Each structure stands twice: as C-alpha cells, then as structure tokens.
Amino acid sequence: MLDATGAAPPASQSTDRFALSAHQRMLEAEAVHVLRETAAVFRRPALLYSIGKDSSVLLHLARKAFYPEAIPFKVVHVDTTWKFREMIAFRDAQACALGLDLVVHTNHEGLAAGISPFSHGAGLYTHAMKTVALRQILDRLGADAAIGGARRDEEKSRAKERMFSVRAPGHRWDPKMQRPEPWGLANTRLLEGETMRVFPLSNWTEHDVWAYVRAEAIPVVPLYFARERPVVRRGDSLIMVDDARLPLAPGETPQPMRVRFRTLGCYPLTAAVVSEAATLDAVIDELRSSRRSERAGRLIDGERADSIEAKKAEGYF
Amino acid sequence: MRIIDACATSAAPIKEHGLLRVLACGAVDDGKSTLLGRLMADAGLVPEDQMAAVAGAGGEDGFDYALLLDGLAAEREQGITIDVAYRYFATARRSFIVVDAPGHEQFTRNMATGASICDAAVLLVDARKGLLPQTRRHAVIAGLMGIRDVILAVNKMDLVGHDENVFRAIVASFRPHADSLGLDVRSVPLSAALGENIVHPAAAMPWHAGPTLLDLLETLALAPRRTGSLRFPVQRVSRSDPDFRGYQGTVAGGRVRRGDPVVALPGGQPSRIRQIVTFAGELEEAGPGEAVTLVLDREIEAGRGTVFACPDNPPACVNHVVVRLVWLSEMPLGTGRELLMRQGTDLVPCRITALRSRLDVVRMAENPATTLGANDIGTAVLETGRPVVVERYGDNRTLGSLLLIDRLNNETLAAGMVVEAVNAAANVYWQRFDTTTADRPSAGRQTPAILWLTGPSGAGKSTVANALERRLTAAGCHAYVLDGDNMRHGLNRDLGFSPPERAENVRRLAEVAHILADAGLIAIVAAIAPYAQDRANARAIAKDVPFYEIFVDTPLDVCASRDPKGLYRRARQGLVSDFTGVGAPYERPQAPDLRLDGTAETPQQEAGRIVDLLAARGHVPAA
C-alpha cells in the first residue's frame, strides 16, 4: 500500500540501506506493510513461489518483514513438470538455504490424463496444470490468503488489480466485485468460502525489481542471464530445448545461441531473447533500451486481447 | 511501462525530483485515456509489441492511443474507463505513478479512491466545452482528498483553431473555483490527438511559451508535508521466542528514536523504546513510512490496533468521530445496519448516529440530508463500540482515514476522513453523589417535571411559558424557562437550522432541562422542536423525570399573521432558509400530553390549564 503519510522514508542511519533510493525504500516498506497485514489478519496465508525474479524479491521481503521471526507462511510451488530444470534446482537450493516451509504441488489427475503443452494446446494445459493445480493446493492447505508477486505494470488488466483482491468461492475473480482501497486501506474480511489474493509488489515495475535484486544482492535463476543455450525457432519465438520431451519437427535441430529469459515459466511456452547481457548490470542496461514488453515472451498471454483477465477470472494468478 | 531511453545513459539515474503520484481526471470524453496513451507513447515508454497490438484494433480513424490503457474487457466494450488504473513510468528526471480515474459521474467514488494516494492532479478540460459540472466535481474531490497541486490541461486545442483566447477564458473561469478550494493551479494548452504540448512543444501554439505537460509533471515541486509527533499503529506482535516481543508496524507520523518514551493508546500505558529492529540491523531512529519492529523496555498490553505515540502530544482517543464520508456502495446509507470501522490498524464496531449534511459538489454547499447514495459526499457522526485513536485527516492521513464496512456482507460502504475527534464520554465515568433531589432546599412546594412546549414560530410558546413561570413562582414553586431562541444566543449559538443541527439543539435543551429537574425544579422548555423523532429523543433523555409534551396548536396562518419577529415575511422573501412552516416541515405531535388551542384562549388561560395538569399529576399543590 502506498504510504498514507505521503512521505518517502528518509535515508536512515544504517549503512546497508544507502544503496536503496527513496523510491525503492518506499516500495520496500509498502510491500513489508502488506505482508505484515496479511500475516496479521488471515488464519492461514500461503506465499506463491514461482521461482522467478518477482518471487525471489517477494521471499526476500517476507524475510525482512518478519525478522527475527521466520516467514510465518507456507511457501507453495505449483509444479507443472515442465519448468526449466535450472528453476527446480534453484528452488530446492533456496528452500534449503532459507529454511523455507516449502510445499510443491502438481495436478496429478492432469498428469495422469496426459495433459502436456503439446497434446492439449497451451490454453487447456495452462488451465489444468497451473490454474486448477493452484486451486487444488490452496484448498488442500485451507489457505484463506495467497500472496503472489504479480505487478500492475505487467499487463493492462493487472493495472486495475487491488493489493488485496477478493476471490469468490472456487477462487473466481470478478472484476466488478473488487473493493476500493483508498489510502491503501484494505477491507480484508471474507465470507465463508471466499479467499484473498495479495499482491505486495503491485506498485513495482520490472525495472524496480531488477534494481532491487541488484541493491539487495538477491539470488535469481541463472536463466535470466545470457549464455549459449540450445534453441529452436518456432514462428517468432526462440524455444530452449531443456530436455528430450520437446517434440522436434523432422529436420529441426537445436541451434546454440546466446540467449536469456525476461520471464520464466514452462520451458516450451517461454520464449528466449537473443542477448549478450550476462550480468545484472548488463540486464538492467538492456532493459532500459528494450522496445519489447516483458510478457511478450509468454506464449499463453497473446491468445486473446483480454487473455490474462479471462484466466484470472478462473483463478489464475 | 518501462524506463525511457533517455535515462539509459547512467546505471543509476538521478531522479532529481523523486516520485510523483499524480491523478489523471476530468469529465468523460475529454480525452484522458488518449492523453495518457499519448504521453507514454511520445515519451518512448510503450513497448513495440503493445503498440502493435493496439494498431490492429484502432480501426479506420488511425491509431487509438486510448486503447493502450483501458484494461478490462467491459471497458473496451463500452469505450470508457470504469475502474482506477495505475500506470508506472520513469523519465530521467522523475518516477511517476499515474492514477487513472474514470470521468463518469457514476464513478466519482473510484475517482475519490484514486485521489486518496496522490500528490497532484492533472485535470483535463475539452477546449470546446470548457468547465463542465463534472470538471468542478473532480476539482472539489481532489481538494477534499488533500491534493493541492493541479495542472489544468486544456485538451483538443486543435479543434478550436489553437485559439489563445479560448484557453485564457477557460483558465480564467477555473480561477475562482480553484481559489475557493485552495488549489495551486498551473495550465497548459494541448492536443492529445496530435501530441501537441504533451512531450513536444506545439508549433501551432507559439503564444504558449510555457512548459509542456511532461515538463510540468517533471518539475512540479511539492510542499513538504508536516510529519508531526510520533504515531506508530501496531500491525502485528511478533513473539518468535519467549524472550522476544516485537511490535511490527509502519511509522505513520513523527520519528521514533531508541530510548524515547512512548504511550500506548488506548489505555495510555507508558514505556520506552528499547530497540528498533530491522533485517538490515538495529536502527537509532526511524521516520514516516519506514516499516520497522519496535521492542519496548517493559511488558505492556498492546496488540493490533494499539498506537504508540509521543507522550507530550498524543492523538485523541474517543468514541465519537465527525467524518466526511464518500459513499461507495450502491446500497444507500440506512439506519440499523451493523457497521465496522477499519481505521489505522484497528477494526471496530460502529454506528452512524447523525448525518449532518450532504455536499453539493458542484455548488460547494452543505445541504441537509437524510441519506447518502453511491458517489455522495456527506458529513456524519460515528459512534464506535470502544475508544479509537484518531486524528484529523489534515493532521495525519493514516489515523485520519477510515473505511466503513457492512458487518454482514463485508461490503465496503464508504471511505471516511476525520473532520473532528469528539472527546465525548471517552474514559469518563459517572460519578455518584450523596445528595438527592429530595434533599435539596429547592425541593419546596413542587416535585420536578419537564414541560416541553412545542409549536411553530409565533404559536405563543414563549408567552405561555412566561405566564406559567410567573404563576408557579408566585405560588412558591421553583420553575425555570429554557427558551429556544434565548438558548441559541449562548449554549446553542454554534448551531444552525438543518435537521441534524435542530436535533442537536433539542438534545442540549433536554439535557439542561434534565439537570434543572435533577436540581429539583420544574423545567419549562419553549422550543419549536419540529421533528417528532427529536421530541421523542428529548423524552428519552428525561429518563425517570416526568416529561409532558404540550402542543401549542396555533394554525400556521395565524402564526404568520402574528409574525412577532418578522421572520415569516423574511422567510417568504427567501432571506431565511430552513424556516419551519415555510422552507422546513413541522411534524404535529400525534399524542401530546396536553393540547392548547392557541387561537381560542389567552396565554393566562393556557398557563392555567398547564398548572391544572401539574396539580392533577401531583407536581404542585392544588390551587
């Protein structure tokens, strides 16, 4: 929530924090405030961890918010089984290093039904393995609030999302049901069966996230940095061949290219960008001169103009 | 959105003017979405793939910049902005959060929500239409929510031939309105469709030597906000181990320093700050907006909703709050709903005890009201189920702002700003005294009662009261007249004639009458008290003291022809508003204890009938 006093926190005396700008300190304090509100008013919140840069920032902020206490929520990862291998390795290393109470969930019915990005199309696959899987695990945990790293600058329909976003029974999002949040003051009360989605990074931009990752030295998955990787070209997209499950067309052979990812998801549905940016500084510089939006690499978003809105209505994050 | 190319030169761009949260508002169709789309596109902030997606949808009229913004399917279908949207961008000079508010009147509440977090506003006007009622409404709401800096953006200048006179006339017509709201206004003529004076200066308007819209936004200097004394609403108590008890929260005013004394409100328990804990290490001090964990030097009772404050200047802790409400719900304000108040970090049951007025947003007038509907703004009195720590909105935004929530369905009904903390009976307890009414020397020949003479102005209430007081006093009984008009010269001189103020007038008269009766007197009240509900309240205040409602029933035309104070004449000329019987109603008592026919009897005869009533009920000796 935006600081209701309107003032950006002034530079404090502690040396570590000079690295953050006034704007970054404001964003950090706001996210910490939202995380603490969530811990204070909900019975069983869960933090959705997608392993991406936003999730990494979110975890870091949660550690800061409750220090010296441990993060008082379960950390949930919805594993579609199609994530990049490096993501899974990173996830497990982080869980160990930070002592996270990690819950990994896969929609096994979907898996048993043989649903994959290739057999059923990206739309149905995403619905079954991400949206339905998320609903399953939130229900199983009895989570009344799910914290996610979504940002308003990602996409147009997200620009109207609340910090505290009510979901009807069945995790459905109704844009007309959303509660006003004047002064960042949230009505967090729920009726039976309703749940809350909480977005502490609402006011962050992609640039803010990277600048914060650099300032706070937050570990991120190496896939964000350029390296030679085996890719195939599919239309306008470069798809990394992360394992042998990616069906190759006759005559199609993976080519080594220096690429990186701006956003991470399921590898067959996440396009790489050609890049030389192998360091954090280089990534931030590249971001400033890029003329493509962050989610352009998400193949599932582009299907319809209101595609994210439609998926959110069904319970997608 | 992303960082403009221009700032790619430095690894850490210097944001010399810091973050600006700016509200974009104005009447519907004045071109706000187009303006913002153009602002971002011309500043190089719209990614190519988003431009491409919109280029396909623009139709034959060319590129539709508005489509870059309207985010929800319903909005694209209707071609309007419904919900508040947040846009993020940064230039070399400044970071921005643009809060994009809808222009339709039925979404005024969304506009108020957007304004609540903003430092400044861009108020858009269509050069062809000039200031519309909705433009004025937005200016008023922005002002109410605390915005002082306004940029008046006169759009569509290309459609009025880039005429300087049109621009000057609109700016001049806004001036008195802005002055009355205390707004600091800068103006710019522009065309969003053509991109004139948005980012690039317009060759077509050489007469405007001033800055472009982006220049204004980048350089707007904001007055520093006062931070005041320490306010720290506790969000959550952390007990990570038995030895650690940390209070998590965000500093909402002033500074907190290690070693400082604080009081915990409500309650007022004193303690000192032992540690200011953060992940990055302990701090010596922290200021407004910083999220920290405080450890105190002793154990006190404190939890979510407690406010730690500077002991020398603590905030009010009260049960009654006068608030300005922006009604958000489609369900109008009604009586009998169970409400919760969300304020600071507290959640408290509350009820609305009085609705004082509704604001006519276009004329800036406070009018009497019986309810508030969606998008209405009004002033009301809230009573909370337990004391709450509040401050005026102008003094502290965190402790001065609140939500009203329907307790049953959890709907957010209203957003409120504290106008005044009413230090009513908070922490005040009833003290018992040994002397009773019967012990007092004044308890001579009468037993106490309250006589309430009601009737329209000119009915003869004061004349009858005068005759009655003389009769009783002559008979050795102690009586005292509380005359409505006379009381308005002193105790009630702060009250006007709106229904809520009349209710307060009656309440005070009834409380004083009760005190006089408790002292052993017969209290005679002569006051119009036109509303049956107010008279019923007066009877309730009398509690165990016998209360007689005496209706001085003189027909209005007789009252008006008597017109002893010339008020009926003045009311009919429109010189007196809310005058009972002319501009305001008089609700006749349905079952008075005594009805006097003001035309058939003399005041002395009427006084005699009241004495007969008192004698019959044993309050005075029979004559």
Side-chain angles (χ1 to χ4, degrees):
Chain A
M1 121 189 9
L2 289 168
D3 155 30
T5 65
S12 76
Q13 313 305 309
S14 167
T15 50
D16 277 347
R17 308 182 60 183
F18 275 117
L20 297 180
S21 70
H23 186 189
Q24 285 175 320
R25 286 200 306 278
M26 187 280 282
L27 291 172
E28 179 189 77
E30 175 181 87
V32 164
H33 187 88
V34 171
L35 287 163
R36 288 170 169 179
E37 284 294 288
T38 309
V41 302
F42 295 102
R43 286 193 314 273
R44 221 167 289 134
L47 189 148
L48 271 296
Y49 179 58
S50 73
I51 319 177
K53 60 189 186 301
D54 305 298
S55 284
S56 294
V57 166
L58 200 54
L59 265 188
H60 183 74
L61 289 166
R63 292 173 70 207
K64 283 195 151 187
F66 301 105
Y67 176 87
E69 191 180 331
I71 297 174
F73 334 113
K74 287 205 185 308
V75 173
V76 172
H77 178 233
V78 172
D79 191 351
T80 59
T81 73
W82 289 94
K83 300 294 173 189
F84 290 91
R85 285 175 295 164
E86 277 186 81
M87 289 174 71
I88 301 302
F90 180 85
R91 175 195 74 192
D92 295 340
Q94 284 289 296
C96 186
L98 305 179
L100 302 180
D101 186 0
L102 178 71
V103 178
V104 176
H105 176 74
T106 299
N107 176 1
H108 288 285
E109 293 92 327
L111 208 58
I115 294 175
S116 81
F118 314 107
S119 59
H120 292 73
L124 195 126
Y125 161 77
T126 301
H127 178 75
M129 299 308 287
K130 292 174 84 172
T131 307
V132 172
L134 177 61
R135 297 194 316 221
Q136 286 172 343
I137 185 62
L138 292 179
D139 289 344
R140 204 183 79 199
L141 294 175
D144 50 351
I147 306 161
R151 311 185 319 264
R152 286 179 181 144
D153 83 321
E154 281 179 73
E155 202 271 340
K156 285 197 292 184
S157 78
R158 291 225 198 267
K160 313 211 163 185
E161 184 57 282
R162 306 296 195 267
M163 291 264 190
F164 289 87
S165 177
V166 186
R167 299 298 147 109
H171 306 278
R172 284 172 196 283
W173 181 66
D174 177 358
K176 295 190 192 72
M177 198 179 97
Q178 298 307 305
R179 297 167 175 171
E181 293 179 345
W183 307 286
L185 201 54
N187 168 3
T188 51
R189 289 173 58 84
L190 297 175
L191 294 174
E192 191 63 35
E194 289 178 338
T195 55
M196 194 70 85
R197 298 281 169 98
V198 185
F199 303 109
L201 304 184
S202 287
N203 283 320
W204 296 52
T205 64
E206 186 184 10
H207 178 267
D208 293 328
V209 168
W210 280 118
Y212 190 74
V213 164
R214 178 170 61 184
E216 297 281 304
I218 300 169
V220 292
V221 184
L223 290 162
Y224 286 114
F225 305 109
R227 218 183 62 198
E228 203 160 88
R229 297 186 170 95
V231 297
V232 291
R233 185 174 291 279
R234 300 268 166 96
D236 289 339
S237 306
L238 294 174
I239 301 299
M240 177 176 159
V241 185
D242 195 47
D243 59 34
R245 291 180 295 169
L246 187 76
L248 297 176
E252 193 181 39
T253 45
Q255 300 295 319
M257 288 179 78
R258 269 186 90 75
V259 295
R260 68 177 204 91
F261 295 85
R262 269 179 84 177
T263 170
L264 293 178
C266 300
Y267 84 82
L269 298 175
T270 308
V273 290
V274 175
S275 170
E276 290 297 325
T279 65
L280 211 42
D281 285 344
V283 164
I284 291 173
D285 280 348
E286 186 185 271
L287 184 63
R288 290 210 184 98
S289 53
S290 166
R291 304 288 298 144
R292 303 264 297 161
S293 69
E294 181 184 9
R295 293 192 73 94
R298 296 255 182 162
L299 305 190
I300 57 167
D301 288 359
E303 297 178 335
R304 278 187 11 231
D306 54 356
S307 184
I308 286 210
E309 186 182 343
K311 284 205 289 290
K312 275 164 65 103
E314 295 171 347
Y316 181 72
F317 236 82
Chain B
M1 305 296 143
R2 263 159 323 100
I3 298 300
I4 189 173
D5 297 349
C7 76
T9 49
S10 146
I14 299 161
K15 298 289 190 296
E16 54 183 313
H17 297 290
L19 172 71
L20 186 74
R21 285 174 279 218
V22 58
L23 178 77
C25 59
V28 68
D29 291 334
D30 285 357
K32 185 165 48 62
S33 293
T34 306
L35 178 81
L36 294 179
R38 174 63 91 158
L39 177 66
M40 297 202 182
D42 281 9
L45 300 166
V46 181
E48 281 165 359
D49 51 303
Q50 286 184 11
M51 293 288 278
V54 167
E60 289 164 17
D61 335 3
F63 193 87
D64 186 349
Y65 287 92
L67 290 180
L68 290 170
L69 300 185
D70 291 331
L72 299 173
E75 297 181 337
R76 282 195 301 278
E77 280 156 20
Q78 296 176 42
I80 55 168
T81 307
I82 297 171
D83 208 341
V84 178
Y86 302 85
R87 321 283 174 201
Y88 303 83
F89 68 100
T91 66
R93 292 201 271 187
R94 194 167 225 172
S95 312
F96 297 93
I97 299 178
V98 177
V99 179
D100 185 3
H104 268 280
E105 183 179 345
Q106 68 259 40
F107 303 124
T108 295
R109 52 192 162 172
N110 306 46
M111 187 271 174
T113 299
S116 70
I117 57 158
C118 287
D119 312 303
V122 174
L123 183 62
L124 205 61
V125 182
D126 184 331
R128 298 168 303 173
K129 300 181 202 157
L131 298 183
L132 299 172
Q134 185 66 347
T135 322
R136 295 180 191 278
R137 184 177 283 116
H138 276 189
V140 169
I141 295 167
L144 280 183
M145 305 306 278
I147 292 176
R148 289 288 154 263
D149 290 283
V150 170
I151 297 173
L152 187 70
V154 181
N155 189 22
K156 308 193 186 184
M157 286 300 295
D158 53 317
L159 301 181
V160 294
H162 297 105
D163 186 346
E164 178 175 6
N165 292 327
V166 172
F167 173 68
R168 298 278 163 234
I170 290 172
V171 172
S173 69
F174 186 57
R175 181 75 57 202
H177 196 57
D179 287 346
S180 71
L181 293 168
L183 302 178
D184 192 357
V185 182
R186 294 149 184 91
S187 317
V188 58
L190 49 84
S191 164
L194 300 184
E196 293 171 331
N197 282 339
I198 310 289
V199 172
H200 309 294
M205 289 179 275
W207 45 265
H208 177 71
T212 64
L213 177 61
L214 184 62
D215 287 334
L216 281 174
L217 288 172
E218 284 185 326
T219 57
L220 197 67
L222 298 172
R225 226 175 247 159
R226 293 187 304 115
T227 66
S229 303
L230 175 66
R231 306 291 185 250
F232 185 86
V234 174
Q235 274 186 286
R236 181 174 182 270
V237 185
S238 174
R239 294 187 195 86
S240 52
D241 64 68
D243 299 331
F244 184 83
R245 180 186 286 240
Y247 296 96
Q248 299 172 342
T250 303
V251 180
R255 299 190 71 77
V256 57
R257 291 180 192 80
R258 197 159 61 91
D260 274 0
V262 292
V263 287
L265 298 168
Q269 276 183 281
S271 62
R272 277 180 191 277
I273 305 292
R274 197 173 77 197
Q275 288 169 286
I276 304 172
V277 177
T278 76
F279 183 81
E282 280 191 35
L283 303 180
E284 277 303 306
E285 58 178 308
E290 287 195 77
V292 294
T293 299
L294 300 181
V295 179
L296 304 179
D297 70 346
R298 72 202 77 167
E299 283 215 357
I300 61 164
E301 267 186 48
R304 186 170 168 82
T306 301
V307 176
F308 295 152
C310 166
D312 298 334
N313 181 25
C317 186
V318 295
N319 283 85
H320 291 81
V321 192
V322 180
V323 291
R324 200 184 282 278
L325 296 176
V326 179
W327 203 256
L328 304 169
S329 169
E330 293 296 335
M331 286 289 293
L333 182 159
T335 51
R337 292 174 90 171
E338 286 192 74
L339 302 178
L340 292 170
M341 181 174 107
R342 174 82 179 78
Q343 176 267 346
T345 53
D346 213 347
L347 185 71
V348 198
C350 77
R351 65 189 188 99
I352 295 174
T353 57
L355 177 62
R356 287 196 173 168
S357 58
R358 178 169 51 217
L359 183 67
D360 178 334
V361 181
V362 176
R363 292 191 187 78
M364 277 297 281
E366 302 270 1
N367 295 325
T370 52
T371 187
L372 294 177
N375 300 303
D376 280 345
I377 295 174
T379 304
V381 184
L382 299 182
E383 183 182 16
T384 55
R386 55 183 162 76
V388 287
V389 184
V390 295
E391 280 190 283
R392 287 197 189 107
Y393 183 68
D395 293 337
N396 189 300
R397 291 247 183 134
T398 305
L399 294 182
S401 58
L402 55 96
L403 301 178
L404 291 184
I405 299 169
D406 187 310
R407 192 172 193 164
L408 295 179
N409 67 11
N410 290 340
E411 187 186 354
T412 302
L413 301 173
M417 288 165 278
V418 175
V419 176
E420 195 186 351
V422 184
N423 204 350
N427 304 318
V428 181
Y429 299 93
W430 189 259
Q431 194 69 45
R432 294 224 155 266
F433 291 92
D434 293 337
T435 306
T436 67
T437 306
D439 299 329
R440 296 180 200 280
S442 59
R445 308 196 61 187
Q446 81 287 348
T447 55
I450 296 173
L451 301 168
W452 195 293
L453 278 61
T454 174
S457 179
K461 300 180 296 298
S462 298
T463 315
V464 173
N466 181 44
L468 176 62
E469 188 181 30
R470 290 184 59 163
R471 281 276 302 264
L472 292 174
T473 306
C477 299
H478 296 262
Y480 192 90
V481 175
L482 297 171
D483 183 77
D485 280 356
N486 290 359
M487 297 292 279
R488 280 182 179 275
H489 280 90
L491 178 65
N492 293 346
R493 73 174 166 209
D494 56 327
L495 299 176
F497 295 89
S498 69
E501 288 171 299
R502 286 184 188 272
E504 176 61 14
N505 183 50
V506 168
R507 188 189 70 80
R508 292 185 196 172
L509 289 172
E511 289 285 1
V512 176
H514 183 252
I515 291 170
L516 293 180
D518 191 48
L521 280 70
I522 291 174
I524 306 162
V525 183
I528 300 173
Y531 297 108
Q533 182 61 51
D534 293 347
R535 295 192 298 263
N537 288 345
R539 192 186 284 273
I541 287 168
K543 296 188 199 82
D544 48 349
V545 176
F547 181 100
Y548 301 102
E549 184 176 85
I550 298 164
F551 180 21
V552 185
D553 188 5
T554 308
L556 266 179
D557 55 325
V558 177
C559 295
S561 66
R562 288 179 187 167
D563 204 10
K565 299 163 193 161
L567 292 172
Y568 281 93
R569 181 175 48 78
R570 287 167 56 80
R572 287 189 174 131
Q573 289 168 350
L575 299 172
V576 183
S577 59
D578 296 330
F579 190 75
T580 301
V582 179
Y586 179 80
E587 297 171 5
R588 293 170 60 87
Q590 294 305 306
D593 296 283
L594 182 65
R595 180 181 160 276
L596 302 175
D597 185 339
T599 54
E601 296 171 309
T602 66
Q604 284 69 31
Q605 288 170 318
E606 291 174 327
R609 290 185 53 198
I610 299 173
V611 173
D612 291 345
L613 171 73
L614 289 172
R617 303 292 174 90
H619 291 285
V620 297

